[in-house]
Amino acid sequence: MRAILLAGGAGTRLRPLTYTTPKPLLPVCNQPFLERQLTWLGRFGVTDVTLALGYLADPFVTHFPGGTFGPMSLSYAVEPEALGTAGAIKFAAEQIGVGAQERIVVCNGDVLTDLDLSELVDFHVARDAEATISLTRVEDPSRFGVVPTDSDGRVRAFVEKPPPGKAPSHWINAGTYVLEGRMLDRIPYGVNTSIERETFPKMLTQDGRLLAMESSAYWLDVGVPNQYLQAHHDLLNGRLGDQVVPEATRDGMGPWRQGEVEAADSASFSPNCLVGGGTTVDDDAVVVMSSLGFGCKIGRGAVIRDAVLGDGVTVESGARVEHSILGPGAIVGAGAVVQQVSVVGASAIVPAGSTQSEARINPPGDFE
Ligand code: GTP
């Protein structure tokens, strides 16, 4: 089975990280997020994946030299301009020649899930659907597109961001679809169109066979800072089973390590930490429930708590980083505090002694 993976969005909500790295290539527990998604797709027999690209396309091509990921073959459909989710699917499908009789899987490039894809395909086939949407349940649907269905899974309506307490259900579009090739005739070529806001709702008015399957599988949209942090929290705490980090090892209840880590005897780690190889951790530093990239330097007495550090980050002595994200090569000056979902761009410098709360600090250079 072939899949199209939507990976061309600008990822504005994860700026400034996405100024320099496209969202699907941002690491989640030291592995580019896209690799996790490809691994998940591969588990269900997907052998060919087309990446629908636009914003920062080159890093994808560089990341997969030879156009493969393990046994999986990759191809790229690079849009000349942003075409929206449906426009991107249509563009990619034309590039690879999806036939009217073919069935494809489509997924958003920012969803961490252990959805059983085979179950979704079986559901789709058993009901002779033209398109099937996977649904996930959320406590507060007021920020999402809600998709009420009938008892057989037929979609009844799309309700975008219902006011609190007024939602017809708690089930929202989870961003994974099974589509029959003929369904793509409904999408105009070369026009910016959203599948979730335009194509699917229009199918209902045109008597299309649009179904949706409720799933209680783990699901998280990692495209906003708080949820990007949550993804790390969940992986490090075993919510997704054994898929924490590939090739990581640990001694007893020590942190997960990927290669040699040099830590002072007086440094301490909680067990649900991941530390990349080549990282050094100085005296009295404390690392709790965090993911540290490769080659980081953690100074004396620094505190890293519930945080994500990219490769080559420096946190100088006495600094504190809590519930925040530091892009690769960022430097936190001595005694600084970075907290409350602050996001620090690649190679950005946090001045010594400063306090950053809910901050967005751009990488050096010319960014908005
Ligand atoms: P924000 O700017 O933060 O909203 O992120 P985003 O640009 O990624 O948008 P959103 O999260 O709504 O997109 C959902 C999925 O569709 C993501 O995997 C995006 O990469 C992808 N996507 C959104 N727009 C486009 C597009 O125009 N072309 C392509 N190829 N993919 C897109």
Side-chain angles (χ1 to χ4, degrees):
M1 182 120 115
R2 298 202 283 184
I4 294 174
L5 201 147
L6 294 168
T12 53
R13 291 166 297 168
L14 273 182
R15 284 178 182 167
L17 300 172
T18 47
Y19 279 134
T20 46
T21 304
K23 179 166 61 173
L25 290 181
L26 289 175
V28 169
C29 283
N30 289 351
Q31 183 182 30
F33 183 65
L34 178 57
E35 292 189 7
R36 292 182 181 273
Q37 278 194 305
L38 295 176
T39 304
W40 166 69
L41 286 169
R43 223 180 286 144
F44 300 100
V46 174
T47 52
D48 293 80
V49 177
T50 300
L51 303 180
L53 304 176
Y55 176 73
L56 291 184
D58 289 347
F60 290 91
V61 182
T62 315
H63 188 77
F64 298 104
T68 54
F69 176 67
M72 192 176 260
S73 260
L74 303 177
S75 58
Y76 309 98
V78 184
E79 294 143 43
E81 68 216 42
L83 289 173
T85 46
I89 296 166
K90 178 77 172 184
F91 182 80
E94 290 283 325
Q95 295 248 310
I96 59 172
V98 173
Q101 303 302 320
E102 189 178 340
R103 180 172 300 131
I104 57 166
V105 168
V106 171
C107 46
N108 282 357
D110 51 8
V111 170
L112 181 63
T113 184
D114 61 3
L115 170 74
D116 183 339
L117 200 54
S118 305
E119 198 189 331
L120 186 69
V121 175
D122 291 348
F123 181 97
H124 172 91
V125 172
R127 287 163 182 77
D128 193 25
E130 203 182 324
T132 301
I133 305 170
S134 72
L135 302 180
T136 191
R137 194 178 191 286
V138 290
E139 265 326 297
D140 174 14
S142 63
R143 291 186 295 120
F144 299 96
V146 176
V147 187
T149 52
D150 69 16
S151 57
D152 194 39
R154 208 155 166 163
V155 175
R156 288 197 283 113
F158 288 90
V159 184
E160 197 56 31
K161 301 194 175 72
K166 295 272 192 288
S169 94
H170 283 248
W171 293 91
I172 63 158
N173 180 344
T176 304
Y177 316 119
V178 182
L179 307 180
E180 294 299 305
R182 65 178 192 281
M183 182 271 180
L184 302 171
D185 292 343
R186 297 177 180 276
I187 306 173
Y189 182 82
V191 180
N192 189 309
T193 315
S194 158
I195 196 160
E196 60 277 26
R197 287 191 297 276
E198 294 173 76
T199 316
F200 286 150
K202 206 163 165 199
M203 271 181 85
L204 294 187
T205 64
Q206 296 172 338
D207 214 22
R209 251 194 100 62
L210 178 60
L211 279 97
M213 187 190 87
E214 296 175 354
S215 166
S216 58
Y218 178 92
W219 181 90
L220 187 70
D221 171 355
V222 303
V224 291
N226 220 351
Q227 286 157 216
Y228 181 75
L229 285 165
Q230 183 71 40
H232 287 80
H233 188 284
D234 289 347
L235 281 162
L236 292 170
N237 285 297
R239 285 275 316 272
L240 280 111
D242 58 0
Q243 52 170 298
V244 182
V245 241
E247 294 152 31
T249 56
R250 73 197 306 192
D251 306 322
M253 286 306 284
W256 294 95
R257 295 164 187 246
Q258 289 175 290
E260 278 301 304
V261 172
E262 205 182 300
D265 287 344
S266 57
S268 73
F269 297 88
S270 70
N272 46 9
C273 285
L274 168 68
V275 188
T279 288
T280 57
V281 184
D282 215 334
D283 290 312
D284 301 320
V286 177
V287 184
V288 180
M289 233 259 345
S290 294
S291 174
L292 277 53
F294 291 80
C296 292
K297 289 188 174 51
I298 310 302
R300 181 182 292 260
V303 176
I304 315 288
R305 191 187 303 277
D306 189 14
V308 176
L309 276 54
D311 294 342
V313 163
T314 301
V315 178
E316 293 179 350
S317 59
R320 184 152 55 83
V321 180
E322 287 186 338
H323 206 57
S324 292
I325 308 164
L326 306 180
I331 299 173
V332 178
V337 176
V338 180
Q339 61 185 5
Q340 296 170 11
V341 201
S342 289
V343 185
V344 179
S347 304
I349 297 172
V350 177
S354 67
T355 296
Q356 312 287 338
S357 303
E358 299 179 36
R360 300 288 177 270
I361 303 177
N362 281 353
D366 200 9
F367 298 98
E368 277 166 38

